[in-house]
Amino acid sequence: MDKKKIEEMVNQVFEESFEIDKGDLSPEKGIFEDLGLDSLDIVDLVVALQKKFGVKIRDDNRVREIRTLGDIYNFIESLYNEGNFSADK
Amino acid sequence: MKRVVITGMGVVCPLGSNVEEYIKGLENNKSGIQKMEKWKEYIGLNTLVAAPAKIENEKSIPRKKRRSMGRMGIFAAQATEEAVKDSGLSESVITSARTGCIIGSTMGGAEAMNDTFEIMLPEKDLSKLSSMNFFKCVSHTAAMNVSQCFGIKGYVMATSAACASALQAVGAAYGLIQSGKQDVVLCGGAEELHAIVAGSFDILFATSTHFNDNPECTPRPFDKDRDGLVCGEGSGILVLEDYEHAQKRNAKVYAEVSGYHTCGSGEHVSQSNKEAMVSCMKETLKSADMQPDNIDYINAHATATIHGDKQEAEALKEIFGDKIPVSSLKGYIGHTLGASGSIELIAALKMMQKSKIYPTKNLNDVAEDCKGINHVMKIQEKEINSILKNCFAFGGINASLICKKIL
């Protein structure tokens, strides 16, 4: 899976779960201040990413470091490179 | 004690998503009952009819306000929006600490409960659960969501007394304003349809099962062919207001709430009890300082169960004889359970406004055991200055409310 595909799938999560327009999704966007998510949304973001990529990340400490959309792309890419997930499609 | 009036109303129900559509549906003798093909997947569920309401335009509620709402939360928020608009109350009044919100329901969101169990039970894995499921499952989901959505800072409460929930909410709101603790209370009930809910009645043989292929012919309150209730959904919200507060802002007033009582039968968890119904209505009349003859119209609970309708007819006969017109609205909209008290009260208030009584739909031939009261079987023109609304619930819980026109 290339980075572009990861970005596309992460963006889908933001569109489907948080009703954010595709045009507003770019790597530098802060997930709290720019995209408007709050602490409850983060729980659902984790659930949605787990479902989308077939991974378990709820207890992964790296989740706490995420600030921007780009951080999520990088985090998912790291998981992929570590060979520990089976993305759906 | 302060006087309490009704200054706003809003509805989402099987006949429409606002008061106008709802009343038009009653006027046109429309049935909101449909066949539920999807319910065939449930083994042992015999009723295949229900009265669904439509979710429309829900995205007009901002995502962060909507994310914690199940169907009933959305219904309640939309009914509240209509009621608040109808009342003409300003945002500053609605968001002041003098405005409260009391909305009841039979239980929390059945759909969210179902989803929670489906996610959690197979592998006993909580990691797939959305943070929002809990907020949809809780018993006060409608009151909680409406209060968040509208910025309510006064009393926020949820009544939970099955089919009497909405009327208890209105009764509680009445008490809060009477005592001066609140100036305005948004109140009523909400309910969402699900096989879990219909199934709970079905296994008790309380649902209608003989009209699965003719849904518009059921339920049949007080009729000789009645065979049980049909579950419905929606929300009815009323704005109750201190009369002086309403007068000061020159508000439109539908009616004054002039009597209320709720009581238990202490007898049986599911069987209605005539004596307790009589006691509830008599106490309500007493609290309104009225005699049975002072009531112009009775909006019955009558769900079309064999036992419940008989008990209510007998109770009404004992107090009112065959003088006062009685009708039930369940034939149009099914039994909206925890929302029925307020959804039906709204129709009764519109009847008062229009001087017109909508009849009991599907009542073609009055059952022997329901005779002796003044059944309304076709639209009747009549000046109505006072109404009595009944709700009788599982747990032997009864509630009655009287409203009268301010002349």
Side-chain angles (χ1 to χ4, degrees):
Chain A
M1 179 179 288
D2 61 17
K3 184 86 177 270
K4 202 166 171 235
K5 180 71 181 167
I6 289 174
E7 290 180 8
E8 192 185 305
M9 288 170 70
V10 170
N11 287 356
Q12 277 170 6
V13 166
F14 278 81
E15 289 172 62
E16 290 159 5
S17 301
F18 307 111
E19 300 174 10
I20 298 170
D21 287 344
K22 211 174 191 168
D24 292 333
L25 298 170
S26 51
E28 76 285 1
K29 290 283 173 71
I31 56 174
F32 296 107
E33 62 275 28
D34 297 324
L35 300 179
L37 272 61
D38 63 13
S39 58
L40 289 170
D41 287 328
I42 297 305
V43 177
D44 286 1
L45 173 63
V46 167
V47 171
L49 288 172
Q50 289 187 147
K51 193 175 174 195
K52 197 79 170 172
F53 294 96
V55 287
K56 289 222 176 241
I57 55 172
R58 203 175 169 109
D59 299 323
D60 192 318
N61 284 332
R62 287 175 287 182
V63 170
R64 295 172 202 279
E65 308 300 320
I66 289 170
R67 295 288 176 274
T68 66
L69 195 56
D71 291 344
I72 302 179
Y73 300 153
N74 293 335
F75 172 52
I76 299 290
E77 190 183 24
S78 305
L79 289 171
Y80 179 69
N81 291 334
E82 288 159 17
N84 59 357
F85 79 90
S86 53
D88 57 345
K89 294 171 281 291
Chain B
M1 295 275 250
K2 289 181 177 290
R3 293 174 71 184
V4 182
V5 291
I6 296 166
T7 56
M9 308 195 293
V11 159
V12 176
C13 79
L15 290 182
S17 299
N18 55 60
V19 174
E20 195 186 338
E21 284 176 17
Y22 171 35
I23 302 304
K24 204 172 156 193
L26 296 176
E27 185 87 37
N28 294 329
N29 194 31
K30 198 174 150 192
S31 168
I33 319 298
Q34 296 176 15
K35 184 163 186 181
M36 303 297 283
E37 295 287 350
K38 268 192 81 181
W39 284 4
K40 284 181 178 169
E41 71 189 39
Y42 294 97
I43 301 159
L45 181 64
N46 296 314
T47 188
L48 293 178
V49 283
K54 271 192 204 147
I55 296 252
E56 290 176 328
N57 198 25
E58 74 274 20
K59 291 209 170 169
S60 63
I61 305 168
R63 181 188 71 85
K64 277 194 182 162
K65 306 280 188 196
R66 181 179 13 104
R67 64 184 173 173
S68 50
M69 295 176 180
R71 288 176 72 80
M72 87 161 75
I74 291 172
F75 292 147
Q78 293 183 332
T80 303
E81 190 179 9
E82 186 188 10
V84 168
K85 199 174 164 193
D86 184 42
S87 74
L89 283 163
S90 65
E91 194 180 341
S92 62
V93 171
I94 295 294
T95 57
S96 87
R98 299 290 301 166
T99 294
C101 170
I102 310 178
I103 304 176
S105 58
T106 297
M107 54 193 246
E111 201 170 296
M113 286 184 201
N114 185 87
D115 291 349
T116 301
F117 296 143
E118 279 188 0
I119 292 167
M120 197 178 137
L121 291 182
E123 295 159 13
K124 305 235 174 345
D125 182 1
L126 290 170
S127 69
K128 293 174 185 164
L129 268 184
S130 158
S131 64
M132 292 302 141
N133 275 45
F134 176 72
F135 301 111
K136 296 174 188 172
C137 288
V138 290
S139 308
H140 67 312
T141 185
M144 175 191 83
N145 275 299
V146 166
S147 66
Q148 290 297 316
C149 202
F150 291 84
I152 302 299
K153 298 188 186 66
Y155 279 64
V156 178
M157 303 195 303
T159 46
S160 185
C163 312
S165 301
L167 212 55
Q168 281 198 340
V170 178
Y174 171 50
L176 282 178
I177 299 171
Q178 266 190 318
S179 65
K181 288 185 173 159
Q182 299 277 264
D183 295 330
V184 175
V185 181
L186 314 176
C187 57
E191 199 72 52
E192 70 182 42
L193 191 61
H194 196 277
I196 293 176
V197 183
S200 64
F201 289 97
D202 199 73
I203 58 171
L204 302 177
F205 304 103
T207 53
S208 173
T209 58
H210 297 149
F211 299 92
N212 287 343
D213 293 320
N214 307 93
E216 70 285 354
C217 297
T218 192
R220 311 179 65 82
F222 300 124
D223 191 81
K224 73 172 179 48
D225 293 326
R226 73 187 187 276
D227 70 333
L229 61 83
V230 174
C231 288
E233 65 179 353
S235 178
I237 301 294
L238 298 111
V239 177
L240 262 60
E241 189 172 350
D242 167 14
Y243 184 36
E244 286 176 22
H245 190 274
Q247 272 184 316
K248 268 184 208 156
R249 64 183 189 92
N250 205 18
K252 163 189 73 205
V253 171
Y254 288 103
E256 177 173 8
V257 181
S258 52
Y260 169 70
H261 190 67
T262 183
C263 65
S265 71
E267 285 288 332
H268 196 280
V269 75
S270 65
Q271 302 262 300
S272 324
N273 178 285
K274 178 199 150 191
E275 281 71 33
M277 291 172 171
V278 167
S279 166
C280 190
M281 286 187 268
K282 280 188 173 171
E283 286 300 318
T284 304
L285 284 164
K286 202 167 140 189
S287 75
D289 197 20
M290 289 168 85
Q291 298 300 315
D293 288 353
N294 301 138
I295 299 292
D296 294 322
Y297 166 65
I298 297 163
N299 189 266
H301 180 65
T303 65
T305 59
I306 303 295
H307 181 78
D309 284 15
K310 175 178 183 281
Q311 296 292 305
E312 186 171 7
E314 285 179 2
L316 290 171
K317 187 177 166 187
E318 182 171 322
I319 302 173
F320 300 98
D322 61 359
K323 298 282 183 295
I324 317 297
V326 177
S327 71
S328 159
L329 300 175
K330 304 287 196 294
Y332 305 88
I333 58 170
H335 190 357
T336 56
L337 308 171
S340 63
S342 51
I343 290 178
E344 293 168 11
L345 177 61
I346 286 169
L349 290 165
K350 291 301 282 187
M351 292 187 221
M352 181 187 265
Q353 194 183 46
K354 289 167 169 272
S355 299
K356 184 185 278 190
I357 300 173
Y358 297 117
T360 303
K361 185 173 171 59
N362 294 328
L363 174 57
N364 298 338
D365 198 347
V366 178
E368 277 303 319
D369 57 4
C370 297
K371 284 185 173 164
I373 58 174
N374 183 1
H375 288 289
V376 180
M377 296 170 73
K378 58 180 184 187
I379 288 184
Q380 190 176 316
E381 308 278 341
K382 182 183 193 283
E383 190 182 347
I384 304 168
N385 292 319
S386 58
I387 55 170
L388 171 78
K389 171 78 197 114
N390 282 335
C391 282
F392 305 124
F394 272 175
I397 302 166
N398 308 298
S400 298
L401 187 98
I402 292 173
C403 294
K404 63 181 183 189
K405 217 184 254 178
I406 292 193
L407 299 168

